[in-house]
Each structure stands twice: as C-alpha cells, then as structure tokens.
Amino acid sequence: MNYNWNWSIFFEPSPEGVGTYTDMLLSGLVWTIATALASWAIAFCLGSAIGVMRTLPSKAANAVGTAYVELFRNIPLLVQMFLWYFVVPELLPEKLGSAIKQLPNAPFYTAVVCLGLFTAARVAEQVRAGILALPRGQRMAATALGLTVAQSYRHVLLPNAYRIILPPLTSEFLNNLKNTSVALTIGLLELTARARAMQEFSFQVFEAFTAATVLYIAINLVVIVLATWLERSVAVPGTR
Amino acid sequence: MFSNFDFGVIASSLPYLFGQGMVFTVTLTALAAAMGVVFGTLIAMMRLSAIPGVTHLAKGYVELMRSLPLVLVIFWFYFLVPYIGAWLTGSPTPIQVGAFSSALITFTLFEAAFFSEIMRAGIQSIPKGQTAAAQALGMNYWQTMATVVLPQAFRNMLPLLLTQTIVLFQDTSLVYVLSLTDFLGAASKVAQRDGRLVEMYLFAAVVYFAVCFTASFLVRRLHSRVAIIR
Amino acid sequence: MTSTPMPAPGGTATVVTGSEALEDEGLQKGPLVTPHAATATGAPMIAIDGISKWYGSFQVLTNCTTQVAKGEVVVVCGPSGSGKSTLIKCVNALEPFQSGQVTVDGTRVKDKATNLPKLRSRVGMVFQHFELFPHLSIIANLTLAQRKVLGRGSEDAGKRGRDLLARVGLSAHADKFPGQLSGGQQQRVAIARALAMNPVVMLFDEPTSALDPEMVGEVLDVMVELARDGMTMMVVTHEMGFARKVADRVIFMDKGEIVEDAGKDDFFGKPRSERAQHFLSKILQH
C-alpha cells in the first residue's frame, strides 16, 4: 500500500489564505456546535409542546401533534434540507423569498430551522413517552388539588417526565449534532465539510478524516459527561 | 404561488426517477439491510460473549459508528475501501470498487452497529432458562444460538429491525454526497438540468413520505399482531 | 383484607420501629381541621343525584343517589369493580358522568359555569397510591397547590404546611422527598397536603389498601382524628373497624348500584340485602 502519510499537514497553511489546516477544521467545529445548539433550542421547545399536545385529552391537539410527527419523521433529512433551502424561498412572496436567499449565512439559518423542526418530532416522541410513563394518579392528584391543566403540566407532569427521558434526550441531542453534517449539502462549512475540503486541497484524505473523527468523538464524550452530571444533579433523593 | 408549477417535468422524468433512481435506492436498502442484520447479529454475539477482548472490540466498533455522522462515514469508506481492497489482494495500487459497492459496504457496516444494538436487546430478552434447556439437551453454543435463541430473538425484534430498515431507506439518500443516482440523486439531476427544483424536490418528498408512512403503518400493525401472539 | 384492630382512643398508638422512631413523632394532639365559616345550613354538603356513567357501552354507575351532611362520615364499601372509586371521583369531577348531578356545598359539579379547579381545591382527596409529587420535597408537596391555586404567599403556605406536618407527626421530614418515606408516612403527608387547602370535604379512595399491614394503623389514626374534629368525609375502604368506629353511615355498592345506604348500626346489625350480607360475611370472617 503506498499512501503517503503526512501528519504535519495540520500545521501547513490552508489554501484559504488565513491560518493553518488546523484552524480550518476548528472553524468547522465551531459551526457544527453553533448549529447543533441553535437547532436544539428549537427542537426542545417545539418538541416539548408537540409532545404535550399528544397527551392532552383534546382530539384536535392530538391530531395536530401526530400529523407533525408523522410528517417530519417520514421524509429523509436531506430532502427536508433541500426543501427549506431551495423550495421554501420560492414558495414565499417574492420579496421575502429573495431576502431570505440573500441573507448572510443563509445555509446556517436554513440548517438551524430544518434540524430544529426535524429533531422536534423526535423530541416530541420522547416527551410523550415520558408523560405516558407517569402513573395516571399523578395527573389526577394534581387535578384534585385544583391545579389547572397548564399548572399540572408545568409543576407536576413535565418535571417528572423530563427526568425520566433524560437519557434518550441525550441520544437525540447527539443525533442532532451528527445530523448537522447533512447541512454540508447546502453549503454549511461545518466539520465534515471542512475535513472534505482539506482532503480535496491537500490530498491527505486519512489525516483529514481522522482529525474530524477524533473531534466528533471528543464532542460526544463532552456531551455524555455533561449529561451524566446533569442527570446526577437533578436526580430526586429517594429514587433509583 | 403554484401558478407556474410544471407537472410535466415530473411526468416525463418518471421512468428515470423510478426505473433508475428508486431501483438503486431499494436495491441498496434491501442488500444493506440483509447484510447489516447478519453482521449486526455477529457483533451482538461478540458483545454478549464472555471473551473480554472480543466484547471490547465489538463495543468499541458500535460506539465509534454511533458517534460519527453518517456523511463522514460515507466519505471514510469511499476513500478507504480501495486501499483495503489493495491490501487484501496485495495490489500495489488502490483498487477501484465502484460507487455502488462502496455505498453498499458503507451502509452495511454502519447499519450493522445499529442492528447489533437491537439484536443484543433481543438476545438478552430471551430467558436464561431457554439456553439452559437447550444445553441440557446436549446442544453446543452454535446449535443453541441458531435453533433456539436467535429465532425467538428475531421474532421479538422484527418490528424494531423493520423500523430501522425504514430509517436506512431514508438514510440512503445521503449517497447524494457521492453524486450517485439514487431516487433523490435522480430527482436532483432532473431538477438541475431543467431548473425545476421546486417541483422535483417536492415530488421527492411526497414519494418518500408515501413509502415511509405506509411502511411504518404496516410495521405498527405487525407489531400489534406480534404483541398479541406473545 | 381483615379489619385492623383500632388503636386506643386518642389516636397516639402509632408503632414505629428502627431509626424512624426518633423522627416520627406520631399523631399530635390538636384539631386537624380549621373551623370554616358556616356554609349554607341545612343543605347537604354533598348531594349525589341519580348519576349514571358508561365506559362505551359498559355501565359503571347506575342511577346512584345519596347525600352526605355537613360533618358526616360516610364509608363506601363493596366488592372490587363495584364502582365505589368511580363514584367518589365523580364528586370532584375527576371522572365525568353522563347523566345526573352532583352538588358540593351548593355548587353544581356538572355545569359549564362551574370553575372546576376552584371547586376541586375545596374538596380534599387522598388516593390509594398516595400520589405525592416525587420530584418535590415534602414541604413543597404541601405548598404547591396553596400557592398556585389559592394564591397564598410562600410564607403563609409554608407555615400552614409545617403546622399540618406537625399534626400528622412528620415535622422532621419536611425537607425529605417522598421516595425517602415509608408508605404510611407518605399517606399521612398526602392527607396533610389535602388539608392544607382548607377543604370543606375530604374524599378517601382506598387510602390504606396499598399499605403494608403494619402501616395501616398510623393512617387510620389520622383519619379517626379528622372525623372527630368534625370533617365531612366520604371514605372508600374495606376497613370495617374504621367504619364501626367513626362512620355515621355505610353505603354498600355492587355492580355500579347503591344497594344499601344505612346508618352504621343498621348496616352492621342487620343488612337488608343478601348481597351486603354475603359481602360482610366474607370480609368479616377472618
């Protein structure tokens, strides 16, 4: 096998003019993290709302929640990415559409919205499962004390449900983080895109991908450590 | 907003979209799922084996695949497979394996990690008494696995395996990054050739939705039937 | 289920073991109920008027009618599946019913104009499985609804909570979490939580049937005390000892119907219906 390893490539200047290949990968890492966090904020809030809707007695709320989840789960993420980037601006009123297309960092905003709405469907499923896993009597006890439906969710059902679903939510957070790489197809310069660019410029394929791999594993570990800490700090005394 | 919507471009490209694109997607999904289940089962058995090195190897593999984005894994294998081929055959230069084979290897190995987690749960759900009973009848490890444990585990896990296959079906669209002509790739090529992005991407979304929604509906029905039997 | 021997009058006979004995003060003397401004005199506190309920085509309640006067203690018993739990859950509309009416302290339960959360806050309820909120400390369990529903300040709510906790003998546990208490202690907290809302009525849905036998007494002690303080109570229970001791009336239900509704002495002395006789003979034969 005649592959020329060259690990010092990371210290060579990148063809972009500023900084080394290392800087290039790190800027990709920053975009990956920024996209993951911003889209998670949308996914968590919207997903919680939809998950709650699917546990309400109202048939209409249920139907809306179910429709949302089915729609966003049954279309590949890449197709959704293209829909938001290429199709939605065309369907909007012309002025608004072209304003969106000319936004600086349009791929970033598009990726955030797309991933946020996509992951919201998955968060919704977890939130729903968490609420349904609570004993039926909890809702009754809250109601019997005179709490309104909103108060029951806010003070009783959700605090318990979130504790139950913390591990699967961590997985969804990591999935969302990995999914940011799909946005390279619409031009987001995230970590995988930067590794690919480095490979194209320098021909050092395996160094570039190894570096990206190590960085992804590192973020995964950081997230897992943080999630473990969070789990421990919100654990209720007297429960397993 | 749909005033200049051109259905003609969809109609005229149907043979290409389905005859070439969808056939590619379905073939890739089916082959990768079948091979992924086989590899996944082996990895699951490795993880549940009592041999420390083997257990850790399997665990490390699964954890690695689960922490990497599929897009990166696709790139990895696209460049790595030719070198592995050269190493296996002793060839001095990388062997060109073709994009389809490369994609098939990628999805098989990537999905195997996810299938193995499902299989592991399935194998662990079989009561220990079943293994004991089989061994008491004089069966060895492989006989026990093949005739007693795995058939039951597969049955328990069938809905989850099928759901994961639907995910795989959606994931195959990512071969777009290798410019392959799967269903989405075909739609994208027509879209760019004719400047009809809105029509083609909306149509692709509708087709994916119809296929996946129907498939997951059927899986749910199967699940409730299996649940009643057991 | 056998009837549990009743503790000595005064209700301080709670037996605790181990380290808990130091912290569990048992039931304290003093009224559990703060006297209310007189409500409409003469009218019953709870009037259940011909209610029927179906789950789909299955009828769970058939034309049930009864009343509970102010200060009265009514025990509801009957075989499992007889509809007794469903009946008391209709009183605070936790279970909807299709026909009939329930009136609590002059307020109609099945009425679009009724503010249900407000009505429910005046009706205390104790559940079979306690249903304390596991993520909240004991004192927070006692103050949550006081603050959110009654709008009391944290200080007032906390004071009321601590007072009641002292009355049920669990002051030392205020900052613990439900998972750290025994079943009996949790149920006493649940009673205190309901009382913290200054209810005019207390509903008990099999309050002792999820408890280990040695913890039944401590919960019944609190309930006896409550009855003696003049609380209006509707209690679904199989504890016939409790019924004998403090009930004014006993309602016997079977297959969704009220079969017998009689004064305590009449019920235990000479139940009229064969079904009630059969039930009593089974439950009392041990």
Side-chain angles (χ1 to χ4, degrees), chain A residues 75 78-80 82-83 86-87 90-91, chain B residues 2 4-18 21 176 181-209:
Chain A
I75 298 176
L78 180 57
V79 176
Q80 295 190 31
F82 285 169
L83 289 181
F86 297 116
V87 176
E90 302 295 334
L91 300 181
Chain B
F2 288 103
N4 49 6
F5 207 82
D6 180 8
F7 290 101
V9 66
I10 297 172
S12 65
S13 56
L14 284 180
Y16 175 61
L17 289 176
F18 285 92
Y176 173 90
T181 311
D182 72 319
F183 181 69
L184 180 63
S188 180
K189 280 168 189 165
V190 174
Q192 269 144 31
R193 185 193 66 198
D194 298 350
R196 288 287 173 189
L197 276 68
V198 174
E199 289 86 345
M200 294 314 293
Y201 287 142
L202 277 177
F203 179 68
V206 168
V207 171
Y208 273 113
F209 179 81

Side-chain angles (χ1 to χ4, degrees), chain B residues 44 49 74 80 95 144 194 206 223:
Chain B
S49 76
I74 291 174
L80 195 59
I95 291 183
T144 306
D194 298 350
V206 168
H223 185 55

Side-chain angles (χ1 to χ4, degrees), chain B residues 13-220:
Chain B
S13 56
L14 284 180
Y16 175 61
L17 289 176
F18 285 92
Q20 206 162 329
M22 193 50 101
V23 167
F24 180 103
T25 297
V26 170
T27 312
L28 181 58
T29 305
L31 289 178
M35 289 160 60
V37 167
V38 173
F39 275 102
T41 307
L42 286 177
I43 295 168
M45 285 161 67
M46 283 168 72
R47 271 200 87 165
L48 294 173
S49 76
I51 315 158
V54 172
T55 311
H56 289 121
L57 190 70
K59 185 168 192 279
Y61 177 77
V62 172
E63 293 299 324
L64 178 67
M65 285 300 165
R66 290 189 355 150
S67 55
L68 295 183
L70 179 52
V71 178
L72 181 64
V73 177
I74 291 174
F75 285 141
W76 254 119
F77 280 106
Y78 184 71
F79 292 101
L80 195 59
V81 166
Y83 283 93
I84 295 176
W87 177 64
L88 286 177
T89 59
S91 156
T93 51
I95 291 183
Q96 291 315 311
V97 292
F100 181 80
S101 310
S102 169
L104 181 56
I105 293 169
T106 307
F107 280 97
T108 298
L109 294 180
F110 187 77
E111 294 297 330
F114 291 82
F115 282 126
S116 83
E117 287 295 278
I118 297 172
M119 289 309 301
R120 185 166 68 108
I123 294 171
Q124 281 177 323
S125 74
I126 306 300
K128 289 265 185 296
Q130 291 286 309
T131 321
Q135 283 165 345
L137 290 170
M139 292 189 195
N140 65 28
Y141 173 81
W142 292 102
Q143 288 169 326
T144 306
M145 271 293 172
T147 61
V148 177
V149 176
L150 287 179
Q152 295 186 61
F154 266 118
R155 225 174 104 168
N156 283 351
M157 290 294 111
L158 193 58
L160 280 177
L161 290 172
L162 290 174
T163 302
Q164 185 63 31
T165 305
I166 298 172
V167 172
L168 168 63
F169 176 76
Q170 296 190 18
D171 281 349
T172 57
S173 64
L174 289 173
V175 297
Y176 173 90
V177 299
L178 299 180
S179 306
L180 295 185
T181 311
D182 72 319
F183 181 69
L184 180 63
S188 180
K189 280 168 189 165
V190 174
Q192 269 144 31
R193 185 193 66 198
D194 298 350
R196 288 287 173 189
L197 276 68
V198 174
E199 289 86 345
M200 294 314 293
Y201 287 142
L202 277 177
F203 179 68
V206 168
V207 171
Y208 273 113
F209 179 81
V211 172
C212 297
F213 183 78
T214 312
S216 41
F217 173 77
L218 293 175
V219 172
R220 270 200 296 269

Side-chain angles (χ1 to χ4, degrees), chain A residues 2 73 178 181 196 213 220, chain B residues 66-67 69 75-76 92 170:
Chain A
N2 47 2
R73 279 214 319 192
K178 288 182 284 172
S181 65
R196 177 100 166 99
T213 300
N220 267 272
Chain B
R66 290 189 355 150
S67 55
F75 285 141
W76 254 119
Q170 296 190 18

Side-chain angles (χ1 to χ4, degrees), chain B residues 155 159 218-230:
Chain B
R155 225 174 104 168
L218 293 175
V219 172
R220 270 200 296 269
R221 259 196 29 188
L222 174 79
H223 185 55
S224 57
R225 275 179 45 192
V226 171
I228 289 166
I229 293 166
R230 293 204 62 87

